[in-house]
Amino acid sequence: MNRPVFMKGNEAMAEAALLAGCRYYFGYPITPQNEVPAYMSRRMPEVGGVFLQAESEVAAINMVFGAAVAGARAMTSSSSPGISLKQEGISYMAGCELPGVIVNIVRGGPGLGNISPSQADYWQSTRGGGHGDYRTLVLAPHTVNEMVELTMDAFDLADLYRNPVLVLADGLLGQMMEMVRFPDPIEQRKTGLLRGRDLPPQDWTLTGCQGRSPRLIRSLLMKPGALEEHNFHLEKKYALIEREETKAEEIDCEDADIILTAYGTSARIAKSAQIMLGEQGIKAGIFRPITLWPFPYNRLAELARRVDRFLVIEMSLGQFIEDVQLAVAREKSLKQVKIGLLARPGGGVPTPEEIAARAREVLP
Amino acid sequence: MSLKPIFTRTPGLKTTPTSYCPGCGHGVAHRLMAEAIVELGARGRTIAVAPVGCAVYGYDYWNFDTTEAAHGRTPAVATAIKRVLPDRMVISYQGDGDLASIGLAEIMHAANRGERITVIFINNTNYGMTGGQMAPTTLAGQITTTTPYGRNVDETGHPLKIAELLAALPGVKYSARGALHKPGLIRKAKSYILNALKIQEANLGFSIVELLSSCPANWGLTPVKAVEHLEKVMTPVFPLGVFKDETPGQEG
Ligand SMILES: Cc1ncc(C[n+]2csc(CCOP(=O)(O)OP(=O)(O)O)c2C)c(N)n1
């Protein structure tokens, strides 16, 4: 039995990584995620792991690359400007099919922006971020407890698909303290996103060629047709991930007058707005994607058959809404539905009152 | 009567012919590195990190585990491999654009941390793979595709002397510069590589061997003229020798 503890999001996430068997952490300081490296620097020596403060985010992601090459569970964390610097490395990891977990505690942008909570890295996270045709799984927790579970799951999914996995949160979740219960790792593998599936053997890692022929890890494929073939192979993997891993939370969506659609911090606040709207006699549902890629297009499209009012709440300037529109458009012309947007960019955080007021405007 | 083999192809290399230009030093460097690894009995526990550059296909020739790395990030990748597998031999093979320009932060910090890795650094005074642009090691006055009037050191800086620079760091236990244009020097270069790998084997710290290597195609010289250029023009700027050797019993 694991007793619940009161803990800060960033630290809980770091502890979750350790529970998941991560023994290599590489990072570079940036607010609002500094608790992660601080926590790791203290805990890694206790568990016989390695904490290394890298010379830059660029070095840190390439260290994750190296640790993955050698077959270890490794993680880096950063915030938006640092994540931009990691993109080349993430693209290489995707190309080389290497697992790894990257945590982004998003802050306001563009540029140095500010350190307030933000969701402005949505496109960067879900549309690639780096160069080339590739995908990264993106997990978006909305509570500290969920940060723990999804971080643990992230390592399993990374190993399952040999693909980098991004955990996307923000300064609000990273800095807040909440009660969390650390699951037993074996239990989590059964009840979490891995759903009890076996992880594939690591028959590709570089450990020295003693007793076997030499192995090679690369993304460079110059032979005519070789890269196209590799990319089609990746496409198959991505299609499988879309089929198997899409996940969303739904509350009272089936007979809702309006569905509040949001992820992470915005969804958390939308839940308060839902209660507020209920008290005003408005049936509002909550649709909260937990995986941002793969995005739950199909389920949202299904709901759009019955519901024709949506309010998208995002702490960015209309990035997330594009996926909602893409989903709804699978079922209905966008002329038949009304999709309102409450966008708070640049570190603004919506209030439940604001959301409820905007929802009433979207309703007939 | 049985014949005793006194020379064989090293099992450290595959039989694939290299695709390097005539007179290029990469093939020689590959062989020295492979021979040294085999002589230390380390082929089965070696993990090499191949560069972005002309030697990007190193894995087609080396007969041991190899990974690619992004341009210049080779030491960061090697650092993590070694941290995960401390008893393996980890080698970072890098060109002068890779190491001395885009990857300067990674090499300085890996060296300064005293990572137990060995770096083989090919100095051919230009970016070979991309067609012969100026590198940080380009000689004063040298013509490259991006210094058509010759390198003006007042505007673009002076040739960076990596072996000397890194020797100054406490984490670096071995730093030497060899050359690949004469049989005697090639043998010496191999002894440097062996020493550097032994430093890693003994878990002492970071080791680097810089190798002056000719690039006739991009220098616009015949292989024979390129060797003369390396001898007469390059070595006065990049002196050969051992700049640091902290092998126990070798100090001083
Ligand atoms: C980020 C990035 N920038 C630029 C390049 C293009 N590029 C490929 S090889 C190379 C230069 C390699 O030169 P060097 O390291 O001196 O090795 P050489 O080819 O001379 O052996 C460059 C700039 C790249 N692959 N990635």
mmCIF file of all heavy atoms in Angstrom, chain A residues 88, chain B residues 26 52-54 71 95-98 102 124 126-130, ligand 1:
data_model
loop_
_atom_site.group_PDB
_atom_site.id
_atom_site.type_symbol
_atom_site.label_atom_id
_atom_site.label_comp_id
_atom_site.label_asym_id
_atom_site.label_seq_id
_atom_site.Cartn_x
_atom_site.Cartn_y
_atom_site.Cartn_z
ATOM 1 N N GLU A 88 16.519 19.104 -32.806
ATOM 2 C CA GLU A 88 17.360 18.345 -33.733
ATOM 3 C C GLU A 88 17.602 16.939 -33.175
ATOM 4 O O GLU A 88 17.476 15.938 -33.878
ATOM 5 C CB GLU A 88 18.704 19.048 -33.961
ATOM 6 C CG GLU A 88 19.567 18.348 -35.003
ATOM 7 C CD GLU A 88 21.048 18.693 -34.906
ATOM 8 O OE1 GLU A 88 21.531 18.932 -33.779
ATOM 9 O OE2 GLU A 88 21.718 18.720 -35.947
ATOM 10 N N HIS B 26 41.442 9.533 -44.019
ATOM 11 C CA HIS B 26 40.443 8.853 -43.183
ATOM 12 C C HIS B 26 40.651 7.334 -43.153
ATOM 13 O O HIS B 26 40.582 6.716 -42.092
ATOM 14 C CB HIS B 26 39.021 9.145 -43.682
ATOM 15 C CG HIS B 26 38.429 10.407 -43.120
ATOM 16 N ND1 HIS B 26 38.288 10.636 -41.773
ATOM 17 C CD2 HIS B 26 37.930 11.511 -43.738
ATOM 18 C CE1 HIS B 26 37.719 11.824 -41.579
ATOM 19 N NE2 HIS B 26 37.506 12.383 -42.750
ATOM 20 N N VAL B 52 29.397 13.255 -38.231
ATOM 21 C CA VAL B 52 28.823 13.796 -39.461
ATOM 22 C C VAL B 52 30.018 14.403 -40.193
ATOM 23 O O VAL B 52 30.736 15.213 -39.645
ATOM 24 C CB VAL B 52 27.771 14.870 -39.129
ATOM 25 C CG1 VAL B 52 27.404 15.653 -40.373
ATOM 26 C CG2 VAL B 52 26.554 14.229 -38.516
ATOM 27 N N GLY B 53 30.255 13.975 -41.403
ATOM 28 C CA GLY B 53 31.437 14.413 -42.144
ATOM 29 C C GLY B 53 31.801 13.294 -43.089
ATOM 30 O O GLY B 53 31.036 12.342 -43.273
ATOM 31 N N CYS B 54 33.005 13.374 -43.668
ATOM 32 C CA CYS B 54 33.386 12.366 -44.663
ATOM 33 C C CYS B 54 33.359 10.951 -44.083
ATOM 34 O O CYS B 54 33.090 9.993 -44.795
ATOM 35 C CB CYS B 54 34.772 12.672 -45.208
ATOM 36 S SG CYS B 54 34.744 14.046 -46.372
ATOM 37 N N HIS B 71 25.621 16.290 -35.904
ATOM 38 C CA HIS B 71 26.855 17.039 -36.203
ATOM 39 C C HIS B 71 27.395 17.754 -34.959
ATOM 40 O O HIS B 71 26.730 18.635 -34.408
ATOM 41 C CB HIS B 71 26.516 18.052 -37.297
ATOM 42 C CG HIS B 71 27.702 18.714 -37.925
ATOM 43 N ND1 HIS B 71 28.979 18.188 -37.924
ATOM 44 C CD2 HIS B 71 27.788 19.883 -38.624
ATOM 45 C CE1 HIS B 71 29.786 18.999 -38.572
ATOM 46 N NE2 HIS B 71 29.100 20.033 -39.011
ATOM 47 N N GLY B 95 35.677 14.993 -37.208
ATOM 48 C CA GLY B 95 36.425 15.889 -38.078
ATOM 49 C C GLY B 95 36.586 17.250 -37.432
ATOM 50 O O GLY B 95 36.079 17.496 -36.335
ATOM 51 N N ASP B 96 37.281 18.147 -38.131
ATOM 52 C CA ASP B 96 37.572 19.442 -37.513
ATOM 53 C C ASP B 96 36.405 20.424 -37.584
ATOM 54 O O ASP B 96 36.327 21.342 -36.776
ATOM 55 C CB ASP B 96 38.860 20.066 -38.068
ATOM 56 C CG ASP B 96 38.991 19.916 -39.574
ATOM 57 O OD1 ASP B 96 38.037 19.473 -40.227
ATOM 58 O OD2 ASP B 96 40.067 20.246 -40.099
ATOM 59 N N GLY B 97 35.505 20.229 -38.538
ATOM 60 C CA GLY B 97 34.292 21.042 -38.505
ATOM 61 C C GLY B 97 33.409 20.572 -37.370
ATOM 62 O O GLY B 97 32.891 21.359 -36.575
ATOM 63 N N ASP B 98 33.280 19.267 -37.263
ATOM 64 C CA ASP B 98 32.454 18.621 -36.243
ATOM 65 C C ASP B 98 32.933 18.984 -34.834
ATOM 66 O O ASP B 98 32.161 19.428 -33.993
ATOM 67 C CB ASP B 98 32.547 17.104 -36.460
ATOM 68 C CG ASP B 98 31.457 16.318 -35.753
ATOM 69 O OD1 ASP B 98 30.290 16.467 -36.131
ATOM 70 O OD2 ASP B 98 31.781 15.550 -34.836
ATOM 71 N N ILE B 102 31.154 23.416 -34.765
ATOM 72 C CA ILE B 102 29.777 23.275 -34.239
ATOM 73 C C ILE B 102 29.761 22.533 -32.908
ATOM 74 O O ILE B 102 28.914 22.774 -32.063
ATOM 75 C CB ILE B 102 28.859 22.589 -35.285
ATOM 76 C CG1 ILE B 102 27.384 22.747 -34.917
ATOM 77 C CG2 ILE B 102 29.229 21.137 -35.512
ATOM 78 C CD1 ILE B 102 26.421 22.343 -36.032
ATOM 79 N N ASN B 124 41.908 18.054 -41.198
ATOM 80 C CA ASN B 124 42.289 18.191 -42.606
ATOM 81 C C ASN B 124 42.118 19.634 -43.077
ATOM 82 O O ASN B 124 42.007 19.912 -44.253
ATOM 83 C CB ASN B 124 41.512 17.201 -43.491
ATOM 84 C CG ASN B 124 40.004 17.393 -43.390
ATOM 85 O OD1 ASN B 124 39.537 18.390 -42.837
ATOM 86 N ND2 ASN B 124 39.233 16.463 -43.925
ATOM 87 N N ASN B 126 39.783 21.599 -43.335
ATOM 88 C CA ASN B 126 38.570 22.076 -44.021
ATOM 89 C C ASN B 126 37.401 21.126 -43.767
ATOM 90 O O ASN B 126 37.565 20.077 -43.154
ATOM 91 C CB ASN B 126 38.797 22.265 -45.525
ATOM 92 C CG ASN B 126 38.881 20.949 -46.275
ATOM 93 O OD1 ASN B 126 37.899 20.447 -46.818
ATOM 94 N ND2 ASN B 126 40.062 20.349 -46.301
ATOM 95 N N TYR B 127 36.227 21.567 -44.202
ATOM 96 C CA TYR B 127 35.034 20.716 -44.154
ATOM 97 C C TYR B 127 35.070 19.864 -45.413
ATOM 98 O O TYR B 127 34.763 20.368 -46.495
ATOM 99 C CB TYR B 127 33.756 21.554 -44.183
ATOM 100 C CG TYR B 127 33.420 22.299 -42.913
ATOM 101 C CD1 TYR B 127 34.274 23.270 -42.397
ATOM 102 C CD2 TYR B 127 32.222 22.061 -42.248
ATOM 103 C CE1 TYR B 127 33.950 23.955 -41.241
ATOM 104 C CE2 TYR B 127 31.886 22.755 -41.095
ATOM 105 C CZ TYR B 127 32.752 23.697 -40.601
ATOM 106 O OH TYR B 127 32.426 24.382 -39.467
ATOM 107 N N GLY B 128 35.445 18.602 -45.240
ATOM 108 C CA GLY B 128 35.589 17.760 -46.418
ATOM 109 C C GLY B 128 34.266 17.445 -47.085
ATOM 110 O O GLY B 128 34.062 17.717 -48.265
ATOM 111 N N MET B 129 33.353 16.911 -46.312
ATOM 112 C CA MET B 129 32.145 16.357 -46.907
ATOM 113 C C MET B 129 31.290 17.368 -47.656
ATOM 114 O O MET B 129 30.668 17.055 -48.663
ATOM 115 C CB MET B 129 31.283 15.685 -45.847
ATOM 116 C CG MET B 129 29.986 15.142 -46.425
ATOM 117 S SD MET B 129 29.146 14.049 -45.323
ATOM 118 C CE MET B 129 29.271 12.526 -46.195
ATOM 119 N N THR B 130 31.253 18.590 -47.146
ATOM 120 C CA THR B 130 30.384 19.582 -47.778
ATOM 121 C C THR B 130 31.103 20.322 -48.908
ATOM 122 O O THR B 130 30.576 21.297 -49.436
ATOM 123 C CB THR B 130 29.852 20.574 -46.728
ATOM 124 O OG1 THR B 130 30.901 20.864 -45.799
ATOM 125 C CG2 THR B 130 28.679 19.979 -45.981
HETATM 126 C C1 LIG C 1 23.459 20.701 -38.112
HETATM 127 C C2 LIG C 1 24.197 20.407 -39.349
HETATM 128 N N1 LIG C 1 24.823 21.425 -39.991
HETATM 129 C C3 LIG C 1 25.498 21.181 -41.123
HETATM 130 C C4 LIG C 1 25.581 19.915 -41.643
HETATM 131 C C5 LIG C 1 26.291 19.671 -42.947
HETATM 132 N N2 LIG C 1 27.589 19.036 -42.823
HETATM 133 C C6 LIG C 1 27.764 17.735 -43.110
HETATM 134 S S1 LIG C 1 29.347 17.261 -42.979
HETATM 135 C C7 LIG C 1 29.848 18.799 -42.518
HETATM 136 C C8 LIG C 1 31.268 19.153 -42.292
HETATM 137 C C9 LIG C 1 32.134 18.070 -41.908
HETATM 138 O O1 LIG C 1 33.437 18.538 -41.888
HETATM 139 P P1 LIG C 1 34.485 17.940 -40.883
HETATM 140 O O2 LIG C 1 33.892 17.782 -39.543
HETATM 141 O O3 LIG C 1 35.702 18.785 -40.949
HETATM 142 O O4 LIG C 1 34.769 16.473 -41.430
HETATM 143 P P2 LIG C 1 35.365 16.006 -42.830
HETATM 144 O O5 LIG C 1 34.213 15.881 -43.763
HETATM 145 O O6 LIG C 1 36.354 17.025 -43.281
HETATM 146 O O7 LIG C 1 35.992 14.706 -42.539
HETATM 147 C C10 LIG C 1 28.764 19.666 -42.488
HETATM 148 C C11 LIG C 1 28.867 21.104 -42.171
HETATM 149 C C12 LIG C 1 24.908 18.887 -40.946
HETATM 150 N N3 LIG C 1 24.909 17.620 -41.374
HETATM 151 N N4 LIG C 1 24.239 19.167 -39.810
#
